[in-house]
Amino acid sequence: QVQLVESGGGSVQAGGSLRLSCAASGFPDTLVVMGWFRQAPGKEREWVAGIYTGTGSTYYADSVKARFTISQDNAKNTLYLQMSSLKPEDSAMYYCAADYRRWTQYTISDPLRYDYWGQGTQVTVSS
């Protein structure tokens, strides 16, 4: 059974840090791409960061660049998102996403690039 399980969310004051984790299991093939998205109440889902698992190439939304770091532990099949200098506007439900398709028309920031999604972990940043 394919699973993506996020953890690490919580409440923090502005300027603080959190590290999200996403444990992947049950996939029939090696994951090619993994990413983090977020969605705040009343807003559209927003891409945060992505990583191509084979090359380790990472990409970030402008809103989080230099504050967030996406990384992976291949031995543990786990994706991380280290979040620093958190702002109230970072408050949202954060979702992990993954896919093992090697060739698609979608970019790493497009939700359609990903076939598999976790249930989400809540991040709340207070001012």
Side-chain angles (χ1 to χ4, degrees):
Q1 181 182 0
V2 170
Q3 277 192 315
L4 291 172
V5 180
E6 301 99 332
S7 61
S11 297
V12 65
Q13 288 193 329
S17 299
L18 282 174
R19 188 177 81 156
L20 306 183
S21 299
C22 172
S25 62
F27 286 87
D29 202 350
T30 303
L31 292 173
V32 170
V33 62
M34 299 187 77
W36 289 98
F37 289 76
R38 67 187 182 187
Q39 188 167 20
K43 294 189 176 181
E44 291 188 356
R45 182 171 45 186
E46 174 189 22
W47 172 72
V48 175
I51 184 169
Y52 287 107
T53 61
T55 63
S57 298
T58 58
Y59 303 85
Y60 298 92
D62 287 344
S63 59
V64 306
K65 203 171 291 184
R67 299 189 299 122
F68 290 10
T69 302
I70 188 171
S71 62
Q72 59 182 349
D73 183 332
N74 289 334
K76 296 181 180 180
N77 288 329
T78 300
L79 181 73
Y80 301 100
L81 185 69
Q82 178 66 49
M83 305 185 295
S84 302
S85 302
L86 282 162
K87 305 175 182 180
E89 51 263 43
D90 294 317
S91 297
M93 184 71 78
Y94 282 71
Y95 297 93
C96 171
D99 204 341
Y100 58 82
R101 294 173 295 170
R102 296 189 179 278
W103 308 109
T104 80
Q105 65 195 85
Y106 305 111
T107 65
I108 198 169
S109 62
D110 192 328
L112 294 174
R113 180 63 181 89
Y114 305 86
D115 264 357
Y116 301 95
W117 294 81
Q119 294 299 306
T121 185
Q122 179 68 40
V123 172
T124 303
V125 184
S126 58
S127 57

